[in-house]
Amino acid sequence: MQYLSTRDSALRVSAQEAIVRGLAPQSGLFVPETFPRADLDAWKNLSYSELAEKVLAGFLTDYSADFLHTATASTYGAAFGGKAGETVKVRDGLYSLELWHGPTCAFKDYALQLMPKLLVEAKKMLGRTETTRILVATSGDTGKAALAGYADLDGIEIEVFYPNDGTSEIQHLQMATQKGENVQVYAVQGNFDDAQTGVKKVFADADVAAELEKRGIRLSSANSINWGRLVPQIVYYFYAYFRLAEQGAVEWGKPVDFCVPTGNFGDILAGYYAKQMGLPVGRLVCASNKNNVLTDFLRTGTYDARRTFYKTTSPSMDILISSNLERLLYHVSGSSEKVAGWMQELSATGKYTVDAETLAKIQQSFAAGYADDADGAAEIKARFDGDHYLCDTHTAVAFRVAETRRTDAPMVVLSTASPFKFPRDVLTALGGEAPASDFAAMAALTAETGAEAPASLRELDKLEVRFKTVLQPADIRTAALR
Ligand SMILES: *Cc1c(COP(=O)(O)O)cnc(C)c1O
């Protein structure tokens, strides 16, 4: 299987090259040139890690079968507490695919527990001996999931930059207590944009690259534009479908709809890939919060990022430029010239409009809707009071939108974070008083609902805080050159 660039379809690289490089030239994204065919009958009874091995083998054809077997078996077992792909019935016809049973309690673990292994192996196979220094600007979830995935791996160093006043207490402690000899964590004075702008400047700084190259270090990123982060996410769509079929909730071969709380469009795109491989996916419903640029795009064909940015109670979906949408545009239009044109327009003017044929093709697979913070809070309460199902603020947005986009098919909502990662907002939504600390809120949430907080979150206040440095944005460069 070869990969080409969304902005230059003449380019061809292997999966290993795509994963080591991250980004294609001229900011293009790597996409597979074809989709391997799923063998649904042969796959339906596999364990999660066996299924992951099959899906990965179709795309990552330059990795050995032995490597893929070991990598998937060592990733999706104990680290997910035996609950990888856990699919729970909320009520008749409505299911929750709980993707937060991994080590950091957010769905990004599915990719970030596996991708580091793919990167280390690719470097080895390609004979690359440099040290890879990964820089991550994070608003919370990605930073911790990346730290947990890359800690103590050979030939890798990771530095995470998060906004000093932009994360929850829990998210801050998850990062500041991270163990490992190859990790560095910095708070940056300011908001997420300050941290991200600072890190982007370092990536674009030729002097930094030259200085690091002298020391045998190459910079890399861990964000969701890397192909290695997308491919592991395809697996759970299959796994959830098989669980519904097993329970008789869907007739074998009939479609299931999925509703996905969306930010950078990576998670939902993996559902489109599963569909292209032959999984009976009906609609993929894209759920946004008040930052509803994707809702408008999927309805009208005009992507217009020139709008107010809102900080919401579902912060991992607070995004105005959804990078992975570019991949979908390539697959449906089949034209890297068109995609390059739209992306140029977006960076020059903040907006672009796709042609009617492209929009119609997108709308065959995708529907969209959005919910603001008040709707999300009402949904948390409704799901708990009505179904005794407790969900976090991101998942709540998807439940709300799912309700408005139902067909005759069963609906699976992707639940992307543990409710205990955002305990104060969840508690308030249920009608409780929010205590001052996240830990008190976790305890109150357990008392109120009977749900157990994940041990990795409950015990955070007992761990040593290793990282206390607060940087000015201008000092990010020095930290990256350390
Ligand atoms: C990252 C994240 C999302 C958005 O996923 P994308 O792949 O960026 O669309 C949704 N919910 C949570 C909790 C997340 O951490």
Side-chain angles (χ1 to χ4, degrees), residues 55-368:
V55 172
L56 263 58
F59 286 103
L60 308 181
T61 48
D62 49 344
Y63 287 81
S64 75
D66 268 356
F67 167 79
L68 291 179
H69 176 77
T70 309
T72 50
S74 64
T75 298
Y76 296 113
F80 285 79
K83 289 191 167 175
E86 180 90 340
T87 307
V88 174
K89 181 170 170 178
V90 177
R91 64 186 136 88
D92 278 346
L94 184 64
Y95 295 80
S96 177
L97 171 51
E98 294 184 344
L99 299 172
W100 38 264
H101 295 288
T104 78
C105 307
F107 92 96
K108 291 183 173 71
D109 286 331
Y110 279 83
L112 283 166
Q113 286 289 304
L114 186 74
M115 183 170 108
K117 296 170 189 165
L118 300 177
L119 175 62
V120 169
E121 176 73 2
K123 282 176 65 186
K124 196 171 99 191
M125 300 304 291
L126 296 172
R128 311 267 294 242
T129 53
E130 77 272 10
T131 296
T132 304
R133 180 173 289 180
I134 292 171
L135 304 185
V136 183
T138 180
S139 57
D141 285 346
T142 305
K144 177 59 184 183
L147 286 165
Y150 287 102
D152 287 334
L153 283 187
D154 282 347
I156 310 270
E157 299 169 349
I158 175 163
E159 294 187 16
V160 168
F161 302 88
Y162 69 88
N164 197 27
D165 37 40
T167 67
S168 74
E169 185 183 2
I170 293 204
Q171 288 175 316
H172 156 243
L173 283 176
Q174 276 190 307
M175 292 186 275
T177 59
Q178 175 66 44
K179 298 195 170 73
E181 291 306 307
N182 63 339
V183 307
Q184 282 293 330
V185 178
Y186 300 101
V188 176
Q189 200 61 54
N191 60 25
F192 173 58
D193 272 341
D194 298 318
Q196 185 167 46
T197 307
V199 169
K200 276 192 179 159
K201 269 194 201 149
V202 173
F203 276 121
D205 189 328
D207 294 340
V208 171
E211 167 61 28
L212 289 175
E213 197 185 331
K214 277 190 229 154
R215 288 148 52 186
I217 300 172
R218 192 187 294 237
L219 290 180
S220 181
S221 113
N223 71 18
S224 71
I225 51 169
N226 192 303
W227 174 248
R229 266 194 68 176
L230 275 181
V231 64
Q233 300 181 351
I234 300 170
V235 180
Y236 41 72
Y237 286 90
F238 283 96
Y239 193 79
Y241 185 90
F242 297 148
R243 299 293 75 72
L244 259 61
E246 191 173 65
Q247 296 166 28
V250 64
E251 203 183 312
W252 187 244
K254 290 272 176 357
V256 167
D257 294 340
F258 291 88
C259 184
V260 188
T262 296
N264 219 5
F265 210 76
D267 205 9
I268 194 169
L269 184 69
Y272 176 78
Y273 287 159
K275 184 173 183 171
Q276 299 311 108
M277 293 171 72
L279 186 71
V281 175
R283 281 178 161 187
L284 291 159
V285 183
C286 175
S288 299
N289 63 25
K290 200 173 177 186
N291 295 294
N292 58 359
V293 60
L294 284 168
T295 316
D296 290 345
F297 171 73
L298 292 168
R299 288 179 182 172
T300 66
T302 294
Y303 194 101
D304 190 348
R306 303 167 308 171
R307 58 177 77 206
T308 310
F309 175 86
Y310 298 103
K311 265 177 86 93
T312 74
T313 54
S314 43
S316 297
M317 299 158 69
D318 291 347
I319 222 162
L320 290 183
I321 305 283
S322 259
S323 314
N324 279 298
L325 183 62
E326 176 171 346
R327 286 187 158 106
L328 178 68
L329 294 178
Y330 176 79
H331 295 303
V332 294
S333 74
S335 163
S336 54
E337 291 76 32
K338 277 189 186 174
V339 173
W342 292 324
M343 292 304 122
Q344 249 151 37
E345 229 181 299
L346 179 64
S347 66
T349 69
K351 114 186 227 279
Y352 63 90
T353 301
V354 299
D355 53 276
E357 195 190 337
T358 298
L359 178 63
K361 279 195 193 157
I362 291 174
Q363 288 173 340
Q364 282 170 13
S365 296
F366 290 87

